[in-house]
Amino acid sequence: MFVLSFTFVLVMLSRSAISVGAESSPRPNIILIMSDDMGISDLGCYGSEIDTPVLDGLAANGVRFTQFYNTARCCPTRASLMTGLYPHQAGVGHMMNDRGLDGYQGNISSNCLTIAEVLKTAGYSTYMTGKWHITRHLDPVENFNWPRQRGFDRFYGTIHGAGSLWDPNTLTRDNTYITPLNDTEYQPKGDWFYTDAISDNAVKYIREHEGDNPFFMYVAYTAAHWPMHAHEKDIAKYKGKYDQGYDPIRAARYKKMKKLGLIKDDWGLSEKTADWEKVPNKPWESRNMEVYAAMIDNMDQGIGNIVDELKRQGKFDNTLILFFQDNGGCAEGMGRNKKGGPQRADKPSLKAMGKDQLQVGMIPKQTRDGYPMRQGVGVMAGAADTYIGYGQGWANVSDTPFKLYKHFVHEGGIATPLIAHWPSHIKSKGDWRTTPSHLIDIMATCVDISGATYPERYKGQEIKPMEGKSLLPVFAGKPLQREALYWEHERNCAIRKGKWKLVGRNVLQPQGVPIDKWELYDMEADRSELNNLAVSQPGIVKELHEMYMAYANRANVIPYKKPKK
């Protein structure tokens, strides 16, 4: 009996405390905050002119990573984040379409677990607000892969990816579709706005958390993904700030990033991709960036409300907050490829929607009060009846100084900030961490600090082992050893080993990647990827190519489509 009791005490101690050097402290709460479609330079503490005082403050009292990576696109990133696997291993190698292959199911697989599922086994309460976007099942009856079915105790957000920030489709509380008007648990005093709703419901879950057990929370914003929607009061703050165009803003960010120590002085600035002098409607183009900046500013305000609630509850010091982004800046031409429609009418021309009527379609046909949707050059973004992206020129600014954008696995598509703040453990004050790290590491980090055990089997299913490494040593300034990091999205492929990165655009074939289609870059000397060394370093190309092909075959990257019969 004594042995059993002693063993029980040891188990309970392991679940109630974590080792912090020579100290012990209660297991922390964990909050993961992810923004959408933003470049590495879009936060003030990473080089931007956009006002982000809350995130800047977390960075100043924690650590910032210079070489943290996502997977270049929203769905694969969310699958990788939630499971600690590369996206193809989790079943989401592309988007929410089923190709009939293990790596391209359009659903997170039953052979992997979410962070929420793992941490629940260690006694954590689990909450989520925001964008899910890792299931093809939008029917609430057929919802195996919705958040409540994948480990979350409470959920408020959207199942689908993009949508209006004033009235999104697939708005859901727990397992039930709702509208902004018929939600009995949340009715803000002012205008309903999705970024605010995500923040406010996160605050609500923290306030309503009961018991002494810790909680895990995932806050997945849709800011600053198109459409460019924001409160006018936030847009007004940036009025005129972008009237000089792309180049001055990009140059100022480049200079600031060097001064901050984020990039090296000798890293070049990648080629600009748009000419301001050739922009036909400059006030419209400036407005798009003003709204984009306002979206980020508003998100930062919401994160401030979350921080304030943690402080009110006395939970701030022992909460690990991680902030990061799902991909680089978005160069997609949403709503920009036609002449602008009519200006907003004085009164609505369509029948208003009922409070229980669900908004359907990624791009709504109308606003809830009856205004038809407007797109095109000249339609000033921000209001609920507009649906426009900020375009390639501003995406190039967001990704300063790196090459390309979302979709691509050059640095502009996959480099993200990572801010880590945890006062009771991270004692650094604004230090940089240069260790290359990846979303796959967040599951391992959560398991490490929570006292959870990552299982080999779960509910009768064999579970794939984690791919990532705990970032706990990196928080303390210690190195992290790993073989390599890997990427594939839409036939864009890359491997990073040490200082070397092998990368190719549109190169994946059913049988693999041809060795002569790669580009090779020295990430220490040239992270902007301006000097291709593939011809002068054939041995390194061969070594990394072989490693990549071994990964692609074991991780369900290949095949990416069914062979023709």
Side-chain angles (χ1 to χ4, degrees), residues 419-434:
I419 297 169
H421 182 273
W422 182 13
S424 68
H425 181 86
I426 297 174
K427 304 303 181 183
S428 299
K429 299 292 184 181
D431 293 346
W432 293 106
R433 295 290 182 261
T434 60

Side-chain angles (χ1 to χ4, degrees), residues 9-18 27 450-451:
V9 169
L10 286 178
V11 170
M12 294 307 293
L13 284 172
S14 71
R15 291 184 177 276
S16 63
I18 61 169
R27 293 179 300 155
S450 67

Side-chain angles (χ1 to χ4, degrees), residues 237-362:
K237 186 174 180 179
Y238 296 93
K239 182 66 177 175
K241 199 167 191 71
Y242 301 102
D243 287 355
Q244 291 183 318
Y246 317 121
D247 293 352
I249 302 297
R250 195 165 181 245
R253 290 189 180 193
Y254 185 47
K255 181 179 179 180
K256 184 177 178 181
M257 293 171 86
K258 289 181 178 180
K259 185 177 180 180
L260 288 171
L262 172 57
I263 62 175
K264 295 181 180 180
D265 287 341
D266 55 354
W267 289 353
L269 184 62
S270 64
E271 181 182 2
K272 70 177 184 178
T273 59
D275 185 347
W276 186 253
E277 297 307 314
K278 295 180 180 179
V279 173
N281 190 330
K282 291 180 175 61
W284 173 75
E285 190 74 350
S286 298
R287 169 74 175 195
N288 288 325
M289 187 60 189
E290 290 168 6
V291 179
Y292 180 83
M295 295 171 78
I296 296 171
D297 189 313
N298 174 251
M299 176 187 67
D300 187 80
Q301 296 171 42
I303 296 170
N305 293 337
I306 294 171
V307 166
D308 288 345
E309 186 61 30
L310 289 170
K311 291 178 179 178
R312 275 192 291 270
Q313 300 292 333
K315 299 179 184 297
F316 183 62
D317 284 352
N318 198 35
T319 296
L320 170 63
I321 300 175
L322 297 177
F323 174 89
F324 46 93
Q325 298 161 187
D326 68 344
N327 46 248
C330 178
E332 296 164 355
M334 171 57 68
R336 302 172 59 88
N337 297 325
K338 60 182 179 180
K339 187 177 180 180
Q343 296 305 303
R344 183 180 175 92
D346 292 334
K347 59 182 180 180
S349 59
L350 302 172
K351 182 181 178 180
M353 299 171 64
K355 73 172 187 175
D356 296 323
Q357 185 178 350
L358 300 177
Q359 190 62 270
V360 295
M362 182 182 72

Side-chain angles (χ1 to χ4, degrees), residues 27 29 209-214 315:
R27 293 179 300 155
N29 305 302
H209 175 71
E210 296 180 349
D212 296 329
N213 65 311
K315 299 179 184 297

